[in-house]
Amino acid sequence: MSAPRRPSDPSGLERYYVLTGGRSGPGGSASSLDVATLIVSLTAPVMGTQHEHEEILRRCRDPLSVAELGAHLGLPFNILAVLLADLLEAGRVEARDPIPAHDAGRGPDLALLEEVLSGLQRL
């Protein structure tokens, strides 16, 4: 008697293996991604590409952190990083580093605060 067959789990490890083409981590410039890195689309989604790539491009029209993107897509960081590496290498997205910690201690950027205040006053 053979062991019972496990039902297919579309949200399991097999799905991640297919999404990443068997890759377990990003390479190149994407290896420096972290959860606070902002991702911005440089191009519009193109029909016929991988669904997850299209969804990343759609959601990142405005800057979105890797953590937020992962939450929206329901993907773990390492899987998302592989997908972002594909888009970074193709020049379809841009990764922007968050404000470095050594700059964050200087206090708020006065020019930015003035722009925000001006925008609020126009409302």
Side-chain angles (χ1 to χ4, degrees):
M1 178 175 209
S2 64
R5 297 185 75 184
R6 196 175 94 198
S8 175
D9 181 7
S11 64
L13 296 176
E14 295 89 3
R15 175 176 174 251
Y16 297 150
Y17 183 85
V18 171
L19 286 178
T20 63
R23 296 169 289 164
S24 61
S29 62
S31 61
S32 65
L33 290 175
D34 69 11
V35 294
T37 302
L38 297 175
I39 305 297
V40 183
S41 299
L42 299 176
T43 63
V46 177
M47 295 301 289
T49 59
Q50 187 173 343
H51 171 74
E52 288 75 14
H53 286 151
E54 289 179 17
E55 194 62 28
I56 290 168
L57 293 171
R58 254 187 233 100
R59 291 186 181 270
C60 292
R61 288 181 182 131
D62 294 319
L64 197 62
S65 74
V66 172
E68 292 171 301
L69 189 56
H72 287 299
L73 298 176
L75 294 173
F77 174 79
N78 62 328
I79 303 301
L80 182 57
V82 171
L83 297 174
L84 289 172
D86 295 340
L87 294 171
L88 283 165
E89 289 174 15
R92 304 202 61 203
V93 296
E94 176 182 62
R96 298 179 183 169
D97 291 328
I99 298 172
H102 66 275
D103 288 344
R106 291 186 321 190
D109 179 5
L110 293 179
L112 176 62
L113 290 176
E114 288 173 0
E115 287 181 43
V116 170
L117 181 60
S118 174
L120 288 172
Q121 289 172 340
R122 283 183 271 161
L123 290 175

